[in-house]
Amino acid sequence: MNYLSIKDIDSIEDWVKEARELKQAPLKYKQLGSDKTIGLLFFNPSLRTRLSTQKASQQLGMNCMVMNFDKEGWALEYGDGVIMDQGKSEHVKEAAKVISQFCDIIAIRAFAGLEDKDLDKAEVVLNGFVKYASVPVVNMESSVGHPLQALADAITLQEDKVRLNDKKPKVVLSWAPHPKALPHAVANSFIEMMQRQEAEFVITHPEGYELDPEVVGDSTVEYDQNKAFEGADYIYTKNWSSFREYGKVISKDVSWTISEEKMALTNEARFMHCLPVRRNVVVNDAVIESENSLVIKQADNRTYAAQVVLKKILESI
Ligand code: CP
């Protein structure tokens, strides 16, 4: 069993329920992972994913090995039949098989390069390990998806929405400005998760920032951010670079920054962001520091999202 996408979850409702049970009794399955090892391979930086996945594995009794592959590992080749006389020292065919001898689960973070859309959509690094590893693989944020984040967000929404007393929540995914080109992974997985929730779901962004139509499907897109925010119960904010002009920053429009004025348009909405976030660019201090901000709870729930995923994989091997 791999966990590569939110689509690998049969019932989000059941997984969220199980994650919340784990949150109440995090050490209940401490024996499940004894004598099992997980290897966390990071090709990009991380704070939350690294520490929460490590903590989740330890709460399941696993050994956890972490490798910053981009700095500490050999540069890997992924292509077939390549004459490796340039900068790449090792092929994923050997690396994945070797790591599979040391680890019972391999978890990988490998962001989009944002230069070649087809290459990113092919998930060369993640799928290279899936193809050649002989153990389960977990996606800790790949080119096009961040399913551990989306599962944590589902847990956070489920916990918080009791305050709405069975009202169907209005959840808005809002683009916000950012100085750098960022990947689409968090937004993609959040959309895929929201498409399976009982909610009114709206995506809002400036024209030109349309996400992959294969992901967006028939989800509602509203180009007027103020209109999208009307009556919203949750504002989930994320920057992403253009998909059409692939990897380009085509607007830094500060009128899209999440401010108190914007939040005043909502139904006392809770503010959500996966973190890290650039304050006073993506969101103003007053919003992220308000009591309606859920960002720290979201980060906490990363542990239980990872723990339910690892528990299910351990039960399957
Ligand atoms: N949200 C998230 O994945 O955080 P890190 O990049 O710090 O792991």
Side-chain angles (χ1 to χ4, degrees):
M1 173 190 170
N2 296 320
Y3 185 64
L4 307 177
S5 155
I6 203 86
K7 292 176 182 164
D8 289 329
I9 300 179
D10 48 4
S11 164
I12 294 177
E13 192 182 348
D14 288 350
W15 285 42
V16 165
K17 184 168 174 283
E18 199 168 335
R20 293 182 69 187
E21 287 164 4
L22 287 168
K23 193 171 180 178
Q24 295 307 312
L27 302 180
K28 185 172 174 186
Y29 297 93
K30 183 95 182 168
Q31 292 307 312
L32 187 62
S34 64
D35 301 325
K36 295 279 192 290
T37 298
I38 185 169
L40 311 185
L41 311 184
F42 285 91
F43 291 83
N44 303 97
S46 169
L47 187 163
R48 281 143 288 271
T49 305
R50 177 175 177 149
L51 297 184
S52 63
T53 311
Q54 200 165 353
K55 183 168 179 182
S57 68
Q58 288 165 349
Q59 287 181 165
L60 290 165
M62 301 184 79
N63 299 313
C64 181
M65 300 195 292
V66 183
M67 187 166 176
N68 295 314
F69 220 98
D70 55 332
K71 298 181 187 72
E72 299 161 356
W74 300 108
L76 295 186
E77 176 60 60
Y78 296 91
D80 260 336
V82 174
I83 298 169
M84 289 172 57
D85 61 355
Q86 298 296 312
K88 307 286 178 63
S89 304
E90 178 159 26
H91 203 284
V92 68
K93 293 184 185 187
E94 284 78 49
K97 286 176 189 159
V98 168
I99 296 166
S100 299
Q101 296 177 125
F102 305 142
C103 300
D104 301 282
I105 301 174
I106 301 174
I108 294 167
R109 164 163 285 200
F111 289 171
L114 291 177
E115 286 177 2
D116 182 330
K117 185 186 291 188
D118 293 334
L119 199 67
D120 285 346
K121 284 192 79 164
E123 296 277 30
V124 172
V125 178
L126 186 69
N127 285 337
F129 276 90
V130 170
K131 187 167 180 186
Y132 297 110
S134 55
V135 298
V137 174
V138 173
N139 180 353
M140 295 193 297
E141 187 172 345
S142 64
S143 297
V144 300
H146 196 355
L148 286 174
Q149 181 66 52
L151 181 55
D153 295 334
I155 298 166
T156 309
L157 284 168
Q158 186 66 34
E159 284 177 341
D160 187 81
K161 74 179 187 187
V162 287
R163 71 189 168 84
L164 298 175
N165 297 322
D166 291 335
K167 171 187 174 277
K168 192 160 83 168
K170 179 177 179 181
V171 181
V172 177
L173 170 64
S174 179
W175 181 92
H178 197 283
K180 290 174 66 179
L182 297 190
H184 309 102
V186 170
N188 287 345
S189 290
F190 186 74
I191 291 168
E192 288 169 348
M193 183 274 287
M194 283 309 306
Q195 287 167 341
R196 294 170 61 182
Q197 300 289 324
E198 284 294 319
E200 180 188 352
F201 178 53
V202 178
I203 306 167
T204 186
H205 54 73
E207 288 192 45
Y209 273 105
E210 291 77 10
L211 287 156
D212 185 348
E214 287 181 27
V215 174
V216 174
D218 58 6
S219 291
T220 302
V221 175
E222 169 59 64
Y223 294 117
D224 181 338
Q225 190 191 37
N226 289 351
K227 196 169 164 199
F229 275 34
E230 281 170 18
D233 299 299
Y234 295 93
I235 302 296
Y236 192 102
T237 305
K238 185 72 187 78
N239 170 270
W240 58 86
S241 55
S242 173
F243 183 74
R244 202 163 52 199
E245 292 182 54
Y246 193 66
K248 299 277 183 297
V249 176
I250 57 173
S251 168
K252 295 178 186 174
D253 185 352
V254 294
S255 75
W256 281 74
T257 298
I258 310 302
S259 62
E260 281 180 299
E261 293 73 28
K262 295 274 178 188
M263 294 300 283
L265 300 170
T266 69
N267 181 31
E268 295 186 28
R270 300 318 187 232
F271 172 77
M272 299 178 74
H273 191 285
C274 62
L275 303 181
V277 69
R278 290 190 183 229
R279 282 168 170 245
N280 305 307
V281 177
V282 172
V283 57
N284 286 350
D285 287 338
V287 175
I288 196 168
E289 289 175 11
S290 77
E291 52 186 39
N292 285 350
S293 173
L294 296 180
V295 298
I296 304 302
K297 286 183 180 164
Q298 286 174 263
D300 184 31
N301 282 331
R302 291 294 307 274
T303 298
Y304 309 103
Q307 198 166 335
V308 74
V309 168
L310 297 183
K311 175 175 176 283
K312 285 183 180 292
I313 292 175
L314 287 169
E315 286 167 344
S316 76
I317 58 180

